[in-house]
Amino acid sequence: MAGDGAEPLELADGAAVAAALGDHDGPLVMVASDVPALGLQHLEAVRGDLAAGVLLSTAATGDGTPFLVALSRPEPDLLGLIGAPFSDLLAAAAGHERELGMVRAERRLASIADARAVQADPLTSPALRALLAPLGRP
């Protein structure tokens, strides 16, 4: 979490996020640090969703957990589901009866198999592909 030029905070769960927020009542964007394809396209999509008035905009990885969660305002029940399976977060958000946004899914980089799949992906940036080159060809 970062705001007003602050350094990002590593927060493990919804309770830690809620505590760090204090009395903040505006938009909130949380991202996982293990998704190398996370980029400006995701930020632009989230900004568009929030500007359109959605409650929650999110993106999942192949393991079924969100790597990006944007809320129009901190909702305690949704913050409590940070790190929960994607389906749990969406079910809780649907209970608010407000529009939801979806952002393009990406691969989490948690294993050698993930790294090889990222290498083989034609959408992988040349810079990231170069970082993964020591693994050899996928």
Side-chain angles (χ1 to χ4, degrees):
M1 182 179 90
D4 299 326
E7 289 296 314
L9 298 176
E10 291 283 333
L11 302 172
D13 58 37
V17 172
L21 288 173
D23 62 356
H24 175 79
D25 197 36
L28 173 66
V29 178
M30 297 164 282
V31 297
S33 59
D34 60 352
V35 178
L38 181 66
L40 287 177
Q41 70 276 15
H42 297 95
L43 177 60
E44 290 169 4
V46 164
R47 282 183 173 160
D49 283 350
L50 293 174
V54 304
L55 166 69
L56 166 80
S57 183
T58 188
T61 62
D63 69 2
T65 57
F67 72 89
L68 181 148
V69 175
L71 296 168
S72 59
R73 61 180 303 273
E75 294 289 348
D77 62 320
L78 299 181
L79 290 176
L81 291 171
I82 299 303
F86 189 66
S87 58
D88 294 354
L89 180 62
L90 289 182
H96 286 261
E97 297 182 359
R98 288 199 34 216
E99 195 168 336
L100 306 178
M102 296 289 295
V103 179
R104 185 178 116 171
E106 299 292 351
R107 181 176 291 276
R108 178 164 268 127
L109 192 55
S111 68
I112 294 295
D114 292 335
R116 292 195 185 284
V118 168
Q119 264 185 313
D121 185 341
L123 298 177
T124 298
S125 72
L128 179 54
R129 191 169 279 115
L131 287 172
L132 297 173
L135 295 175
R137 295 186 60 92

